[in-house]
Amino acid sequence: MENTFLFYFRFGLTHILDWAALDHILFLVALCAIYTLLDWRKVLLLVTAFTIGHCASLIVAGMDWVRLPAIWIECLIPATIMITAIYNLWLRGDEERRQIYLMALVFGLIHGLGFSNTFRSMLFADEQVDLWWYLLAFNLGVEAGQVIIVLLILGVAYVALEVLEIKRKWWSMGLSVVALVMAGWILVERLVVG
């Protein structure tokens, strides 16, 4: 079981760190756009809220309790990125963002549903019994991958804000606009192909 646990942990880690997961990376960019390295605790809570939602939807889908048309989920994922980016652009100054934690949780549910079919198809018949164990391993890998990406984003933000002296407002707006445009492109592609 230990080797299988490590397999699913690595799979969760590489799932997030792969360019095929660009939509997930863009969501993290949009989520982190208004934060700095000093806000790492807030960002870690946001990422964890997202992972909890992601895990919950994988459990529900893994147990085959919910199945939604793939095209809905595939279109909702870039929409979550766009909503997060627009939310960032809507904010004024240092407004409190309490509702962003709920958004991260709900958007984690949506992103998890997007991956649920792949995860479910990976399980062999004899692994269904250990589903909870494998979901834990996978989501710990997802969390580790997200932390790596967040640290990279916050590190680049530090250089941009402290070394290059870019104004924080312009930095967060720039990241949000990039995430918004790229997510819009992904959404259009999925609508055209779907």
Side-chain angles (χ1 to χ4, degrees):
M1 185 177 297
E2 209 170 307
N3 289 340
T4 309
F5 185 90
L6 288 174
F7 169 80
Y8 281 104
F9 177 86
R10 275 194 301 269
F11 187 65
L13 181 68
T14 57
H15 166 66
I16 296 304
L17 297 178
D18 188 349
W19 278 111
L22 178 61
D23 53 0
H24 196 106
I25 294 168
L26 282 175
F27 180 74
L28 291 172
V29 167
L31 202 61
C32 294
I34 66 162
Y35 295 105
T36 68
L37 203 50
L38 296 175
D39 300 314
W40 68 269
R41 285 181 185 92
K42 291 179 183 177
V43 177
L44 184 59
L45 284 174
L46 279 171
V47 168
T48 302
F50 180 88
T51 301
I52 290 168
H54 195 269
C55 183
S57 62
L58 282 175
I59 289 169
V60 169
M63 300 299 282
D64 213 12
W65 294 338
V66 172
R67 282 192 190 228
L68 296 174
I71 188 65
W72 291 7
I73 301 302
E74 291 305 314
C75 289
L76 280 173
I77 289 172
T80 65
I81 301 164
M82 295 171 71
I83 290 167
T84 305
I86 291 167
Y87 183 76
N88 291 343
L89 295 169
W90 185 271
L91 290 175
R92 289 184 176 73
D94 289 332
E95 285 183 50
E96 184 61 38
R97 295 181 54 149
R98 288 186 201 115
Q99 62 271 28
I100 193 67
Y101 296 99
L102 179 60
M103 285 172 56
L105 179 73
V106 171
F107 292 169
L109 288 166
I110 293 168
H111 284 244
L113 286 173
F115 190 70
S116 62
N117 289 335
T118 302
F119 188 82
R120 191 175 29 244
S121 69
M122 288 179 52
L123 294 172
F124 297 107
D126 61 334
E127 292 181 334
Q128 295 290 340
V129 175
D130 296 316
L131 176 66
W132 299 96
W133 183 246
Y134 300 145
L135 282 170
L136 173 65
F138 178 79
N139 282 290
L140 286 174
V142 166
E143 184 79 354
Q146 289 182 144
V147 168
I148 291 168
I149 292 169
V150 163
L151 288 174
L152 287 171
I153 294 167
L154 294 179
V156 171
Y158 177 82
V159 171
L161 300 171
E162 301 299 325
V163 177
L164 301 176
E165 298 181 356
I166 296 172
K167 290 187 179 189
R168 185 172 176 175
K169 172 186 170 184
W170 294 112
W171 173 256
S172 62
M173 284 179 59
L175 278 186
S176 297
V177 168
V178 166
L180 178 65
V181 169
M182 290 181 75
W185 182 261
I186 291 170
L187 178 60
V188 168
E189 278 186 337
R190 290 179 180 177
L191 286 170
V192 169
V193 171

